[in-house]
Amino acid sequence: MELQIWGYPVFALGLTALVLAFRTMRRKRLVDDIPTSRTRGVFIGLVELKGTAESEKPFTGFLSAEKCVYYHYKVEERWSRMVTESYTDAKGHVQFRTHQESGWTQVASGKEMQPFYLKDETGIILIQPEGADIQPKNLFNKTCGRNDPLYYAKGPQGSVANSDHQRRFTEEAIPLHAELYIMGQSRERQDVVAPEIAKDKSAPLYVISTRTEKQISRSYSGWFWFWIILGLLISLGSGLLLSQQDKESFNPDWGIVALWSGFYLLSWLLGWLWAGYNSLVGLRNRVCQGYAQVDIQLKRRFDLIPNLAKSVEGFSRHERELQEMLAELRTVSKVNGQDTMDIKGASAILVFNMEKYPELKADTVFLKLQEELAATESRIALARDYYNSIATFYNTRREIFPDRLLAGIFGFKERVFINASELERAALKVKLAE
């Protein structure tokens, strides 16, 4: 009976392992399903980015002395000691034995991090690393004795008890210009009108990693199967405990073992249905969000460009009037002794207008309009590419087994792509005054 009581908490541990497995699977699906955005095309929400780590004032690693945007170092000291313990032998006599124990004790550590920029071919975006799951590179790893200058130069002067006078120095860091994979929540910056990536409690994942997307996905996959198998083994163990009648002999009821294992497999099936359905819902919502972003950029173009064109037209007309006035002034000045008051009046008007508009340069305004037109079309193209990418992920997930079964049962419909010609029909033509 005592063994049977332990069966229930052991089975609960198996279910806990199952929960951890599906939590890991959810993260793997996020990594696999969310397309990579460009820094210029980042919108508010969960995004995936790839680029290099950049900073205006990078740190210098404490041990590696390399430029980086984040580092964490630690110093460990080895110790060993002889331990004597007592035990009772088979005849009931108290005996003593001696063995050696050894290990490592951390004697120093430290880290520094700072906001940095992620750079790709389209631009940069600010990254706030606080609260992220940072997966850095190993930049420094060395074990040495007291004869090495590093021993005291980067470590404490004192020693731990029973020290072997060996120290291990390790440092992990995100080096400057390192290739990074980032998944996190995008939000508006408070200092300028631009997005940034930062910790958000509502976001399911915030990762800053020096590993590739494939490496991260494989890691999550490995942990998923580890937790699944561990949970199955634990559930088998709980079935054995619940079916054991006599603690003196091993004679389990295999029917009970099969029953509890069946409970675990049923829980696994329900968990898979829950995780798969939620994954499809998340993909569908991101497709809708991507389409809305395209619509927002088209609306921005519709509202912004005509107003810019009117502004440029006004600047151009005003500068043309000043040029005509200046030409008139030069013509009149060639006539000696005539129209003196007109010359003074024209000069006064000209000075007044130049003082009122000291930065008036039509060519600069035209250049800014061209830049804004190019940037607007680039934003639309990035929004369209993001939508098409996430729609591709969604449609693919709908068609592959076993998610195809869920898509059919719950009615997840296929999403159509947006091509360039559809956006061109909505483009505005800018006609400027000559």
Side-chain angles (χ1 to χ4, degrees):
M1 186 65 181
E2 293 179 359
L3 292 176
Q4 290 179 330
I5 294 176
W6 287 102
Y8 297 102
V10 169
F11 185 74
L13 288 176
L15 292 181
T16 301
L18 189 62
V19 171
L20 292 174
F22 283 112
R23 181 184 179 188
T24 305
M25 187 180 79
R26 182 190 180 195
R27 294 184 173 184
K28 171 179 166 53
R29 288 203 170 197
L30 283 173
V31 172
D32 293 342
D33 292 347
I34 296 181
T36 303
S37 300
R38 301 292 183 265
T39 56
R40 183 177 291 182
V42 168
F43 307 111
I44 304 304
L46 189 66
V47 295
E48 174 184 283
L49 297 168
K50 297 175 184 176
T52 59
E54 309 295 339
S55 175
E56 296 177 333
K57 297 179 180 180
F59 297 126
T60 299
F62 183 76
L63 298 176
S64 64
E66 290 192 23
K67 292 183 178 180
C68 52
V69 298
Y70 164 89
Y71 73 85
H72 174 229
Y73 76 91
K74 62 180 179 179
V75 182
E76 298 169 292
E77 191 167 337
R78 182 178 172 83
W79 55 266
S80 60
R81 61 174 178 260
M82 300 301 296
V83 178
T84 302
E85 61 182 11
S86 62
Y87 68 98
T88 303
D89 61 15
K91 297 180 180 181
H93 299 149
V94 177
Q95 303 289 339
F96 294 91
R97 58 188 173 193
T98 302
H99 67 278
Q100 187 178 35
E101 292 182 347
S102 62
W104 294 87
T105 297
Q106 182 174 296
V107 294
S109 66
K111 72 175 181 179
E112 282 189 287
M113 69 170 62
Q114 65 175 353
F116 63 91
Y117 292 98
L118 185 78
K119 179 181 178 182
D120 64 10
E121 64 273 15
T122 66
I124 59 174
I125 186 171
L126 184 65
I127 308 296
Q128 302 283 356
E130 190 70 36
D133 175 15
I134 299 178
Q135 301 171 2
K137 285 184 176 180
N138 293 318
L139 289 189
F140 194 90
N141 193 333
K142 183 178 180 179
T143 303
C144 63
R146 287 186 296 180
N147 294 331
D148 194 305
L150 180 66
Y151 190 90
Y152 288 117
K154 298 294 184 178
Q157 298 299 311
S159 298
V160 299
N162 305 302
S163 174
D164 292 336
H165 303 295
Q166 276 191 320
R167 285 179 177 173
R168 182 168 59 197
F169 298 82
T170 57
E171 183 177 270
E172 298 177 322
I174 299 178
L176 194 67
H177 313 312
E179 293 285 342
L180 293 182
Y181 170 90
I182 296 179
M183 178 178 287
Q185 191 79 4
S186 173
R187 68 183 186 188
E188 284 289 337
R189 291 175 57 175
Q190 297 181 353
D191 52 345
V192 295
V193 182
E196 66 179 5
I197 309 298
K199 174 69 175 177
D200 191 311
K201 293 181 179 180
S202 63
L205 196 61
Y206 187 22
V207 174
I208 301 175
S209 179
T210 55
R211 298 187 296 168
T212 65
E213 181 178 357
K214 287 185 178 180
Q215 290 173 331
I216 295 172
S217 178
R218 288 172 183 170
S219 175
Y220 284 138
S221 181
W223 279 107
F224 169 76
W225 287 110
F226 168 80
W227 290 118
I228 286 289
I229 295 172
L230 179 62
L232 180 59
L233 294 176
I234 292 175
S235 68
L236 289 172
S238 67
L240 291 173
L241 290 173
L242 289 168
S243 64
Q244 189 71 17
Q245 300 295 331
D246 187 1
K247 66 179 181 180
E248 299 298 331
S249 62
F250 181 75
N251 186 24
D253 185 341
W254 294 106
I256 296 178
V257 174
L259 179 63
W260 282 96
S261 299
F263 284 158
Y264 177 83
L265 293 176
L266 179 61
S267 301
W268 177 84
L269 178 60
L270 294 175
W272 176 83
L273 290 172
W274 168 79
Y277 176 79
N278 286 346
S279 178
L280 286 171
V281 170
L283 272 174
R284 184 178 62 186
N285 291 340
R286 279 190 287 274
V287 171
C288 295
Q289 183 188 30
Y291 189 86
Q293 292 296 342
V294 175
D295 191 56
I296 289 172
Q297 295 305 320
L298 291 174
K299 177 65 174 174
R300 177 180 179 274
R301 178 173 67 179
F302 183 83
D303 293 340
L304 178 64
I305 301 305
N307 292 330
L308 285 175
K310 289 180 181 179
S311 299
V312 172
E313 183 180 353
F315 277 116
S316 179
R317 185 186 302 113
H318 189 75
E319 186 170 4
R320 184 173 65 251
E321 291 174 356
L322 289 180
Q323 294 292 343
E324 290 174 356
M325 185 180 298
L326 183 61
E328 239 180 82
L329 182 61
R330 287 173 178 171
T331 301
V332 174
S333 64
K334 292 179 181 179
V335 182
N336 294 326
Q338 296 181 4
D339 297 328
T340 304
M341 295 302 296
D342 291 338
I343 294 174
K344 291 180 179 180
S347 299
I349 295 173
L350 180 61
V351 170
F352 172 77
N353 280 277
M354 294 301 290
E355 289 178 352
K356 187 176 181 181
Y357 302 100
E359 302 288 333
L360 191 58
K361 290 291 181 181
D363 54 344
T364 304
V365 177
F366 274 108
L367 182 60
K368 288 182 178 180
L369 175 60
Q370 292 174 355
E371 291 176 353
E372 190 60 43
L373 283 170
T376 298
E377 294 305 316
S378 176
R379 284 172 176 265
I380 294 173
L382 288 170
R384 182 196 65 214
D385 291 344
Y386 177 83
Y387 169 81
N388 286 341
S389 297
I390 195 67
T392 300
F393 277 92
Y394 171 76
N395 290 335
T396 302
R397 182 55 63 83
R398 280 184 66 256
E399 297 174 1
I400 61 176
F401 183 83
D403 290 346
R404 184 171 184 174
L405 301 176
L406 291 175
I409 294 172
F410 295 105
F412 288 89
K413 304 298 182 181
E414 183 180 4
R415 295 287 177 162
V416 297
F417 300 121
I418 299 176
N419 55 48
S421 60
E422 292 175 347
L423 299 183
E424 288 172 0
R425 288 199 296 270
L428 294 175
K429 294 183 179 180
V430 180
K431 184 177 180 181
L432 301 177
E434 298 179 357

